[in-house]
Amino acid sequence: MIVMKFGGTSVANYEAITRMISIVRGKLEERPVVVVSALSKVTDMLYRISDRAAARDREEADALLAQLRERHLTLAGELLGTGGKLYEEACAKVNSICDALCSFVSAVCAVGELSPRSKAIIISNGEYLSSNIICCAMNAAGIRTHYMDARSMIITDDDYLKGEPDMKAIAANTPEIVLQAYQDADAVITQGFVSATGSGEPTVLGRGGSDYSASLIGMAIDASRIEIWTDVDGVRTADPRRVPDTRCLDRISFEEAAEMAHFGAKVLHPLTIEPAIRKNIPIYVLNSMNPSGEGTAILQSQFIEDGVKSVSCKENIYVINIFSTKMINTSGFLKKVFEIFSEHKVSVDLISTSEANISVTVDSSQKIDDVVSALSEFADVYVDTDKSQVSVIGKNIVSLKGLLEQTFAPLRECKIYMISQGASYVNISFVVDRAVLDDVVRQIHKYLFCM
Ligand code: ADP
Ligand code: ASP
Ligand code: MG
């Protein structure tokens, strides 16, 4: 069995879904589990709807809900032709999902309060809409397709907006559900991103989480391969939207891919690699607009050569600077600091310390207010919000002679605030002013890959 995940742009409209269906048709012999994201931009719209509902802006919320319904009904008509059983079925599904969503949003508008649980319910509708329509379209195209609700497979804790998967429960339930679904089907389809607690309360895996869903399912069913179908030819030496002249990488290691994803390469959700590593399942990143391309294979490190593979960056990070004279000559201070981060579930990327100062970087998607106030009880804390983080990633780069010189040579004029060379041998990261990020990344990329 294989898992094939199609991202938002790969299911954005009639043309994309038609292409997607023909890609799946070519792999039916391998019994694909198809995982789909919401149509492009739909999840953003659902976030907007939940924000408007919380602000009791009924007018805008209703206008957006109407657009959402319209887009999906129109798409169903384009894919299935108006009239006919499958068209009726798809429209009934779209209308019932949209009706339930409208009632829910109107209840949120009435109270003007949005809990994480309510938000998770709202933002997960994009995947339910897309998967229902695509299931009908696959059946209409002659592929007998069975619909599965990912919430019966992807079990998480009760962190509603960034559920932590319960690997044991996922591994225990999923194979049976998929086998059952396959009994009289040529393919099965399910949603990315959405998940549920053990007691069935809706959660989601966080932004971009469909990649993670695909690898969790792949792990659970011992897939022979996980395919991530997206809008670029594979993993590249840098984000092509930010840097000119990037190159596609034929193969990279699990560790390199994990570091790239964690340090800003949006092409994969940061946690995608972990479930695949557990079962040593290769991941392929492929372009749904160029299905005959080779893409990038993500494999065990032994098959990958040493050397620099990419420059990744996170544009918007927080640098938390913690100053305390109590740190000097005392033990236990670092422990106290990091216990606070751990209690508030804020994960730290880079760390640097000196005698009376600790600086750490954290991703700006995390809520740091409580951490800052807890730290402020015993230290002076200052948060920088106008900084970015750049990472040079590649297997064994730490042992490459002259790499630091090469990396920093183009940056003679640029202020560097923190440098961290991880013990992983895969990553050298540093912090610069956000205003110079694009320039820095382009210069380093040019120096490392184009000279
Ligand atoms: P999907 O909707 O298919 O999940 P995403 O937008 O989440 O697609 O991810 C694909 C995008 O990731 C690309 O369009 C590209 O701009 C961006 N990206 C960032 N870094 C890289 C990289 N190193 N290689 C390829 N793409 C990258
Ligand atoms: N639709 C979700 C998002 O936009 C999940 C995904 O696309 O991976 O974040
Ligand atoms: Mg994505």
Side-chain angles (χ1 to χ4, degrees):
M1 282 192 153
I2 61 170
V3 179
M4 304 176 81
K5 176 259 170 177
F6 292 86
T9 41
S10 303
V11 294
N13 50 31
Y14 167 81
E15 288 77 20
I17 293 173
T18 309
R19 250 189 330 256
M20 174 222 145
I21 293 175
S22 92
I23 294 171
V24 173
R25 193 193 294 287
K27 308 261 169 120
L28 292 180
E29 272 179 15
E30 294 182 276
R31 291 163 57 92
V33 175
V34 178
V35 176
V36 290
S37 292
L39 312 186
S40 172
K41 304 280 186 304
V42 162
T43 309
D44 293 342
M45 199 177 195
L46 291 164
Y47 269 86
R48 176 95 188 142
I49 290 171
S50 60
D51 290 348
R52 289 298 82 214
R56 308 185 88 164
D57 180 354
R58 183 94 201 230
E59 206 175 317
E60 191 180 344
D62 282 348
L64 291 168
L65 286 165
Q67 280 177 35
L68 187 78
R69 189 191 298 259
E70 188 55 34
R71 179 167 172 198
H72 288 89
L73 289 176
T74 307
L75 177 66
E78 287 167 351
L79 286 165
L80 299 160
T82 49
K85 194 166 152 280
L86 284 166
Y87 173 69
E88 297 299 334
E89 192 183 310
C91 290
K93 287 275 162 50
V94 170
N95 281 321
S96 111
I97 292 168
C98 289
D99 290 346
L101 178 61
C102 286
S103 313
F104 194 81
V105 168
S106 99
V108 174
C109 280
V111 289
E113 237 177 61
L114 182 75
S115 64
R117 183 175 175 279
S118 301
K119 191 165 181 168
I121 291 175
I122 295 177
I123 60 181
S124 50
N125 280 284
E127 272 68 14
Y128 282 107
L129 286 163
S130 63
S131 57
N132 272 292
I133 297 179
I134 295 169
C135 182
C136 290
M138 285 173 65
N139 279 304
I143 303 173
R144 289 177 311 149
T145 307
H146 190 102
Y147 174 92
M148 303 183 295
D149 188 336
R151 286 200 173 126
S152 57
M153 298 182 272
I154 309 294
I155 306 302
T156 67
D157 67 1
D158 63 359
D159 189 345
Y160 294 99
L161 296 172
K162 213 177 183 188
E164 190 175 321
D166 176 343
M167 299 291 187
K168 271 201 184 135
I170 294 170
N173 301 341
T174 307
E176 183 58 27
I177 293 170
V178 173
L179 275 184
Q180 281 289 332
Y182 245 114
Q183 284 211 329
D184 52 3
D186 306 320
V188 296
I189 188 168
T190 193
Q191 310 74 33
F193 185 53
V194 309
S195 45
T197 63
S199 56
E201 285 192 273
T203 59
V204 293
L205 297 177
R207 284 314 303 259
S210 298
D211 304 325
Y212 196 20
S213 308
S215 78
L216 288 166
I217 294 173
M219 170 202 75
I221 63 169
D222 275 317
S224 54
R225 193 166 75 243
I226 297 164
E227 297 184 350
I228 304 289
W229 289 89
T230 182
D231 61 355
V232 275
D233 271 329
V235 179
R236 306 188 68 89
T237 47
D239 183 349
R241 288 189 209 169
R242 193 182 287 279
V243 179
D245 304 322
T246 60
R247 260 191 272 140
C248 188
L249 297 157
D250 298 340
R251 46 171 64 198
I252 54 176
S253 69
F254 285 129
E255 292 75 16
E256 288 170 329
E259 294 276 326
M260 286 170 74
H262 187 76
F263 286 90
K266 192 189 168 224
V267 65
L268 288 173
H269 179 279
L271 299 174
T272 310
I273 304 302
E274 203 241 337
I277 288 188
R278 288 180 182 226
K279 294 274 182 78
N280 186 20
I281 303 172
I283 299 179
Y284 291 82
V285 178
L286 298 151
N287 187 349
S288 65
M289 279 167 273
N290 176 24
S292 57
E294 301 273 295
T296 301
I298 304 175
L299 307 169
Q300 264 185 327
S301 182
Q302 70 195 81
F303 302 111
I304 307 300
E305 54 288 357
D306 287 355
V308 184
K309 305 294 171 14
S310 97
V311 185
S312 295
C313 62
K314 283 190 178 177
E315 175 159 358
N316 193 5
I317 57 153
Y318 299 135
V319 181
I320 306 177
N321 299 293
I322 304 152
F323 299 91
S324 175
T325 45
K326 289 188 199 134
M327 210 173 136
I328 300 171
N329 283 332
T330 51
S331 60
F333 188 85
L334 282 177
K335 178 167 178 266
K336 197 168 165 189
V337 165
F338 287 106
E339 266 169 6
I340 290 175
F341 281 94
S342 157
E343 272 160 32
H344 294 89
K345 285 187 156 185
V346 170
S347 83
V348 167
D349 282 343
L350 310 181
I351 306 167
S352 89
T353 64
S354 63
E355 193 57 27
N357 161 240
I358 308 171
S359 295
V360 304
T361 66
V362 305
D363 193 294
S364 63
S365 63
Q366 306 188 85
K367 292 213 166 25
I368 59 166
D369 295 356
D370 292 345
V371 167
V372 171
S373 58
L375 292 170
S376 301
E377 283 175 19
F378 59 91
D380 293 327
V381 183
Y382 171 69
V383 181
D384 258 332
T385 53
D386 57 352
K387 303 281 179 277
S388 300
Q389 186 171 304
V390 179
S391 306
V392 175
I393 291 160
K395 184 179 165 193
N396 272 329
I397 53 172
V398 173
S399 49
L400 292 181
K401 288 208 181 80
L403 180 74
L404 275 182
E405 192 194 332
Q406 266 191 320
T407 302
F408 292 113
L411 306 182
R412 282 194 191 95
E413 303 298 314
C414 171
K415 264 194 185 169
I416 294 170
Y417 295 87
M418 274 173 76
I419 301 182
S420 156
Q421 180 174 294
S424 64
Y425 282 54
V426 181
N427 180 338
I428 295 171
S429 293
F430 53 95
V431 174
V432 296
D433 283 315
R434 193 170 169 181
V436 301
L437 175 68
D438 274 348
D439 201 36
V440 164
V441 175
R442 284 176 196 160
Q443 286 197 53
I444 295 180
H445 184 272
K446 189 166 164 197
Y447 208 80
L448 291 176
F449 294 102
C450 309
M451 307 223 329

